């Protein structure tokens, strides 16, 4: 019973997230002066670990770039600009990931700690990304509760 209830809550949160951000698709035309947007930041405790950016499309996820964090955990990517706001995922060693949206005109800074990548990340860029972070943290808490309930069965 609780698992079905938790799944319903998870699906409701995802539906709310998609509704919130679907209106962003038509907000921004591609900038003629800029062909890339920048994603940069620092991942503490992440020196020499692999980091990648993926575009989240309607029917597939595509790797846009991959690199190794430098000795201090810094990274920087220039990604081809989308025509409109679009969803992306920043992943550290294909294990933990942060979802964000970007348009053709911004620099997004994502900092975190490799030991708790999702919970400790900060993101600067646009207000929609702060809302995505809130939803991501709610989802993580829900998943933790589902695992706890499952162990109690």
């Amino acid at each position: 019973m609780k698992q079905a209830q938790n799944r319903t809550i998870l699906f409701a949160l995802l539906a709310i997230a998609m509704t919130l951000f679907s209106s962003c698709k038509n907000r921004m035309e591609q900038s003629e002066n800029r062909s890339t947007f920048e994603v940069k930041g620092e991942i503490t405790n992440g020196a020499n670990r692999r980091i990648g950016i993926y575009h989240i499309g309607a029917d597939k996820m595509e790797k846009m770039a991959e690199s190794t964090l430098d000795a201090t955990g810094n990274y920087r990517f220039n990604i081809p600009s989308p025509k409109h706001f679009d969803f992306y995922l920043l992943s550290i060693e294909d294990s933990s990931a942060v979802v964000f949206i970007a348009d053709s005109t911004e620099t997004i800074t994502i900092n975190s700690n490799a030991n708790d990548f999702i919970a400790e990340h900060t993101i600067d860029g646009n207000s929609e990304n702060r809302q995505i972070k809130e939803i991501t943290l709610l989802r993580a808490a829900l998943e933790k509760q589902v695992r706890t309930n499952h162990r109690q069965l």
Side-chain angles (χ1 to χ4, degrees):
M1 175 80 172
K2 284 190 179 198
Q3 285 181 330
Q5 192 175 33
N6 288 337
R7 282 190 184 132
T8 302
I9 293 169
L10 178 61
F11 288 123
L13 287 172
L14 291 173
I16 291 168
M18 294 305 291
T19 302
L20 279 172
F21 303 111
S22 66
S23 63
C24 296
K25 287 291 227 180
N26 296 323
R27 278 180 50 184
M28 194 61 95
E29 290 297 322
Q30 183 174 13
S31 170
E32 293 179 20
N33 298 330
R34 188 167 179 182
S35 61
T36 63
F37 68 92
E38 182 179 53
V39 181
K40 64 179 183 172
E42 180 181 346
I43 309 300
T44 57
N45 299 312
N48 304 314
R49 293 178 77 177
R50 301 293 296 164
I51 189 165
I53 292 186
Y54 299 81
H55 173 255
I56 303 172
D59 60 347
K60 67 177 181 175
M61 196 161 45
E62 176 185 5
K63 185 183 288 186
M64 301 300 292
E66 186 176 57
S67 184
T68 301
L69 296 167
D70 70 15
T72 58
N74 291 306
Y75 68 93
R76 180 180 306 267
F77 294 107
N78 288 305
I79 305 299
S81 296
K83 186 171 183 178
H84 305 285
F85 273 99
D86 223 340
F87 288 86
Y88 294 86
L89 183 136
L90 180 69
S91 174
I92 186 162
E93 294 190 341
D94 297 324
S95 61
S96 294
V98 172
V99 175
F100 66 96
I101 59 173
D103 69 19
S104 61
T105 62
E106 64 187 323
T107 296
I108 297 182
T109 304
I110 301 174
N111 298 314
S112 191
N113 184 324
N115 296 332
D116 198 356
F117 192 64
I118 294 171
E120 291 193 27
H121 82 278
T122 61
I123 186 165
D124 295 326
N126 55 55
S127 62
E128 290 85 2
N129 281 324
R130 287 187 289 281
Q131 292 172 334
I132 289 174
K133 179 180 179 179
E134 290 175 27
I135 291 167
T136 300
L137 293 176
L138 286 170
R139 189 201 76 210
L142 179 62
E143 288 174 352
K144 182 178 179 181
Q145 183 63 43
V146 167
R147 284 190 303 272
T148 300
N149 289 346
H150 185 10
R151 279 187 228 123
Q152 292 174 352
L153 294 177

